[in-house]
């Protein structure tokens, strides 16, 4: 039972991992496992200690928020860098890009139309030559 360590020291209380030390009231109590954070009526966050005596819940929440935010920002930067690297690698290696593919299709369409026009002009010229007997 954690209550037996009340009015002793934080270190003695926290030897048992199920215990929570409240520094302001010097009470040792069972950690309220149904809640993530101990309620304010049980112990204020800046006075509550769990696991180690040198870190209170308020500092722990701030530190975890900063670390979590930093990790999310780093993850976002890494994703952006990877996407940019893949895009530039595709361009360097000559890999198809959507714009490149569209331009290639347009070039091919123009080439086919030009070939058709050339064949049509050749047939007209041949017809004119036959008509006037220059062939």
């Amino acid at each position: 039972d954690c209550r037996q360590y009340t009015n002793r020291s934080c270190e003695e209380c926290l030897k048992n991992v199920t215990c929570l030390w409240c520094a302001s009231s010097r009470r040792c109590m069972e950690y309220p496992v149904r809640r993530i954070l101990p309620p304010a009526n049980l112990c204020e966050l800046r006075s509550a200690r769990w696991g180690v005596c040198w870190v209170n819940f308020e500092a722990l929440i701030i530190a975890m928020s900063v670390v979590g935010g930093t990790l999310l920002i780093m993850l976002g930067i890494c994703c952006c860098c990877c996407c940019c690297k893949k895009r530039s690698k595709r361009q360097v290696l000559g890999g198809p890009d959507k714009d490149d593919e569209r331009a290639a299709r347009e070039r091919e369409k123009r080439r086919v139309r030009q070939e058709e026009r050339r064949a049509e002009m050749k047939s007209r010229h041949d017809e004119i030559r036959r008509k006037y007997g220059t062939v």
Side-chain angles (χ1 to χ4, degrees):
D1 189 32
C2 293
R3 285 186 228 141
Q4 68 184 353
Y5 298 109
T6 297
N7 290 325
R8 291 192 184 172
S9 70
C10 176
E11 287 80 15
E12 287 181 52
C13 173
L14 296 183
K15 283 180 184 175
N16 185 348
V17 293
T18 62
C19 295
L20 171 75
W21 176 258
C22 187
S24 60
S25 63
R26 298 185 50 82
R27 288 188 314 160
C28 188
M29 59 198 91
E30 294 288 324
Y31 187 88
V33 292
R34 293 183 195 267
R35 301 180 133 204
I36 296 172
L37 300 173
N41 62 359
L42 192 62
C43 187
E44 291 181 345
L45 287 179
R46 67 174 158 261
S47 297
R49 310 286 193 272
W50 180 72
V52 289
C53 293
W54 53 272
V55 177
N56 64 32
F57 267 91
E58 199 171 54
L60 185 65
I61 291 169
I62 292 169
M64 294 302 286
S65 299
V66 168
V67 169
T70 304
L71 288 174
L72 285 174
I73 290 170
M74 287 172 52
L75 181 67
I77 290 171
C78 286
C79 288
C80 288
C81 288
C82 287
C83 289
C84 289
K85 184 184 274 188
K86 282 183 181 179
R87 187 176 301 132
S88 66
K89 193 181 256 187
R90 256 189 273 141
Q91 289 173 353
V92 168
L93 294 176
D97 193 6
K98 287 183 182 177
D99 294 333
D100 292 342
E101 288 176 2
R102 190 177 314 125
R105 283 193 302 270
E106 289 296 322
R107 278 193 305 270
E108 183 63 23
K109 283 180 186 177
R110 273 188 246 122
R111 189 188 64 76
V112 167
R113 275 185 285 174
Q114 189 176 16
E115 290 295 324
E116 287 172 355
R117 273 187 261 138
R118 277 188 191 151
E120 188 178 312
M121 289 299 285
K122 187 178 184 315
S123 70
R124 274 195 212 152
H125 289 158
D126 288 346
E127 210 174 288
I128 291 170
R129 282 187 192 113
R130 263 185 261 124
K131 182 177 179 181
Y132 293 105
T134 56
V135 177

